[in-house]
Amino acid sequence: MKQVAVILSGSGVFDGAELHEAVLTLLAIEQEGASYQCFAPDVNQLHVVNHLTGEVSEGEARNVLVESARIARGDIKPVTECDVTAFDTLILPGGFGAAKNLCTFAVDGENCTFFEEVLTVCKAFAQAKKPAAYACIAPALAAKVYGNKTKLTIGNDEATAGGLNALGATHVECPVDEVVVDNDAKLVTTPAYMLAQSISEANASITKMVKTVLAMK
């Protein structure tokens, strides 16, 4: 049974992990006969967004690990405890948390900074030549991790694609129900809710990503 490390970035599309993407990822992993362990950084979110109004909740603070535990039903560990030797594959669902709490791409674009504890884990998988998959906006991290013109996708948004190219990647346009594979890097990316207009479309995206990455040797 393959073991998959899943890094979450909070709970909620606007300030954390995209809930549909996260749950669909965990479901797809299990349906493919693999097992997963969730991780998240033990830090405060960039900010808290009221998901009913879309407004930032001034003065409110939430912890990324604590919020991610909601998705993992409490079975989650700090990302510092992710030992690459214990896993076959790494997967990062999207949501603005990936670009706000794991790095600052949502705010700073190509000039963004990266949360070092997450970057260290992602680089460890890359250096060990273990397959990894990044969904939605999470390929912003992959662009930094892999560089070297590695092929990846966020769909077809030109401005976002330009930012990923500036970080050293090569963006490839991709429809919602497909994936982009860089076999040399053992990297799989998919647009998910960067393009998806429904949970069914997101499911097609996420399921193909998980199937593809778990089929890699």
Side-chain angles (χ1 to χ4, degrees):
M1 179 182 288
K2 288 191 173 181
Q3 306 295 317
V4 183
V6 178
I7 298 180
L8 301 175
S9 58
S11 179
V13 59
F14 299 127
D15 59 9
E18 210 297 317
L19 286 164
H20 294 171
E21 290 180 10
V23 172
L24 291 169
T25 294
L26 302 183
L27 177 61
I29 291 169
E30 188 172 288
Q31 289 178 330
E32 288 300 303
S35 178
Y36 62 82
Q37 174 64 55
C38 293
F39 298 91
D42 187 5
V43 295
N44 280 346
Q45 298 177 184
L46 171 66
H47 55 210
V48 177
V49 174
N50 181 323
H51 280 58
L52 185 61
T53 66
E55 300 295 325
V56 174
S57 299
E58 300 294 344
E60 186 175 350
R62 296 190 184 187
N63 178 278
V64 177
L65 179 61
V66 172
E67 292 302 297
S68 298
R70 294 175 179 271
I71 299 173
R73 295 173 61 87
D75 184 11
I76 194 166
K77 298 178 180 180
V79 73
T80 51
E81 296 182 17
C82 183
D83 179 2
V84 65
T85 64
F87 296 94
D88 303 290
T89 307
L90 173 69
I91 300 181
L92 278 75
F96 273 108
K100 290 179 176 180
N101 304 327
L102 306 186
C103 68
T104 65
F105 186 81
V107 178
D108 301 319
E110 65 187 76
N111 298 312
C112 63
T113 57
F114 295 81
F115 185 70
E116 284 299 327
E117 291 177 352
V118 173
L119 195 61
T120 296
V121 171
C122 294
K123 284 184 174 180
F125 276 87
Q127 290 164 0
K129 298 295 184 182
K130 293 191 174 184
Y134 295 67
C136 192
I137 193 61
L141 284 96
K144 174 69 173 180
V145 169
Y146 294 90
N148 296 319
K149 302 298 181 180
T150 299
K151 294 185 296 183
L152 48 72
T153 193
I154 48 79
N156 58 20
D157 183 80
E158 290 186 9
T160 306
L164 300 187
N165 289 337
L167 286 169
T170 297
H171 183 267
V172 179
E173 287 198 10
C174 178
V176 67
D177 58 347
E178 290 294 338
V179 297
V180 168
V181 178
D182 189 302
N183 286 307
D184 290 338
K186 295 188 177 180
L187 175 68
V188 181
T189 53
T190 194
Y193 271 112
M194 289 295 290
L195 292 179
Q197 299 297 308
S198 67
I199 191 171
S200 295
E201 288 188 351
N203 183 53
S205 181
I206 294 294
T207 299
K208 185 153 192 176
M209 178 190 74
V210 172
K211 282 178 176 288
T212 303
V213 77
L214 287 180
M216 285 183 162
K217 302 298 184 181

